[in-house]
Amino acid sequence: MILDEIAAYAIQRVATAKELFPLEKLRDAALQLPKKQRFKQALQTKEMSFICEVKKASPSKGVLSEDFPYLSIAKEYQSAGADCISCLTEPKWFMGSDEIFRTIREVVSTPMLRKDFTVDEYQLYESKMLGADAVLLICALLDTRTIAHYLEICDALGLSALVEAHDEAEIESAVQAGAQMIGVNNRNLKDFTVNFENAARLREKIPANVLFVAESGVSGTKDIACLKAAGADAVLVGEALMKAANRSALLEEFRRAAL
């Protein structure tokens, strides 16, 4: 399964990073930074919120942008009124990097999610040092106790955490761990098929006081309307925006479809 391969590679990446900069020093530096919960606050609106993603490639679709002008893409998202920006830092399958994230962070003020595959608390401190406002925690990779521990670290750092689930058992794990934002991935990571009925079915399992984010698979306004009807508080959109000739116009279409 591709998720297992990505996680194994993430473990290797963390081991290398620890050799260059020990956990203790990283933790001490990260805890000194200001603590602001901007990401979650940005999604707490009456209307559906939009998390717009910056990514060069994905395992399911390959390379999405050959030239990949990530800085101009992020600026366009901000100008178009994106509530938050998601940026991939996974280097092998998504062709992202910490440097891409850091460069974008320096020029946009919009709250940012560092989207990577968290397998070690080291990455939480890394994310804070990069200027992230939020991190991704995937239930398929982390048990309930680990998620709860990572959420405690996030609270200490002033980071929001988007906890991703795919089924009822993972929703239950996220809720038990204390997640305040739960993302339902509409894409099956085994065969990459997309099913929005999954989000609708799992919505009732998520407490009313927990933000519900629908992730992946959005290709048009009909999908947005479907997810709005399913009760999504926010939608994370990547591929559709990355491939759009006019990202600002498409985001505006999505907003209208969500009304």
Side-chain angles (χ1 to χ4, degrees):
M1 183 172 163
I2 186 64
L3 187 60
D4 295 330
E5 294 181 53
I6 296 174
Y9 186 58
I11 292 172
Q12 294 178 19
R13 289 164 51 208
V14 171
T16 300
K18 285 180 176 179
E19 291 180 0
L20 297 174
F21 202 85
L23 170 62
E24 292 75 15
K25 289 186 177 180
L26 183 65
R27 181 194 296 122
D28 291 344
L31 287 170
Q32 297 303 312
L33 296 177
K35 300 169 178 58
K36 299 178 181 179
Q37 289 282 358
R38 299 196 311 141
F39 191 91
K40 182 186 173 186
Q41 291 174 359
L43 301 183
Q44 292 175 317
T45 62
K46 293 182 179 179
E47 304 299 337
M48 178 184 279
S49 301
F50 287 86
I51 306 168
C52 301
E53 192 155 84
V54 180
K55 63 178 175 182
K56 181 177 176 65
S58 74
S60 61
K61 298 295 182 179
V63 176
L64 300 172
S65 175
E66 289 290 351
D67 55 345
F68 193 46
Y70 56 85
L71 205 52
S72 64
I73 292 170
K75 288 179 180 178
E76 186 175 1
Y77 286 161
Q78 177 165 272
S79 298
D83 298 284
C84 296
I85 292 174
S86 168
C87 180
L88 270 295
T89 56
E90 198 287 323
K92 188 173 182 178
W93 283 269
F94 293 87
M95 299 185 182
S97 71
D98 292 350
E99 187 57 35
I100 289 172
F101 188 101
R102 188 181 293 109
T103 302
I104 292 174
R105 175 77 289 170
E106 290 174 354
V107 299
V108 302
S109 58
T110 303
M112 288 183 65
L113 165 70
R114 183 200 184 192
K115 197 173 182 186
D116 210 314
F117 296 79
T118 305
V119 294
D120 193 291
E121 67 178 80
Y122 189 93
Q123 292 163 287
L124 305 178
Y125 300 113
E126 270 186 335
S127 299
K128 184 65 177 181
M129 295 300 291
L130 286 171
D133 299 283
V135 294
L136 180 69
L137 304 178
I138 302 176
C139 289
L141 297 178
L142 307 168
D143 61 28
T144 306
R145 180 177 295 183
T146 301
I147 294 171
H149 176 54
Y150 287 179
L151 289 174
E152 290 177 356
I153 294 174
C154 287
D155 286 343
L157 292 170
L159 287 172
S160 297
L162 178 59
V163 182
E164 180 176 299
H166 298 83
D167 55 33
E168 288 94 338
E170 291 181 359
I171 292 287
E172 183 178 350
S173 176
V175 172
Q176 287 184 355
Q180 294 301 302
M181 291 192 301
I182 295 179
V184 172
N185 196 327
N186 301 306
R187 192 183 303 281
N188 186 315
L189 295 181
K190 294 181 180 179
D191 58 16
F192 298 125
T193 56
V194 174
N195 180 8
F196 292 122
E197 292 180 4
N198 193 45
R201 181 174 55 83
L202 294 177
R203 177 64 184 102
E204 64 182 31
K205 306 293 183 181
I206 300 173
N209 64 334
V210 174
L211 284 172
F212 169 38
V213 181
E215 305 175 43
S216 299
V218 170
S219 60
T221 54
K222 289 184 179 180
D223 297 332
I224 296 295
C226 179
L227 293 171
K228 174 69 174 181
D233 297 304
V235 178
L236 190 153
V237 187
E239 180 188 344
L241 286 170
M242 286 299 304
K243 290 187 172 181
N246 187 328
R247 298 181 181 90
S248 298
L250 183 58
L251 181 56
E252 180 57 30
E253 289 180 21
F254 286 167
R255 286 194 184 283
R256 288 199 298 267
L259 295 176

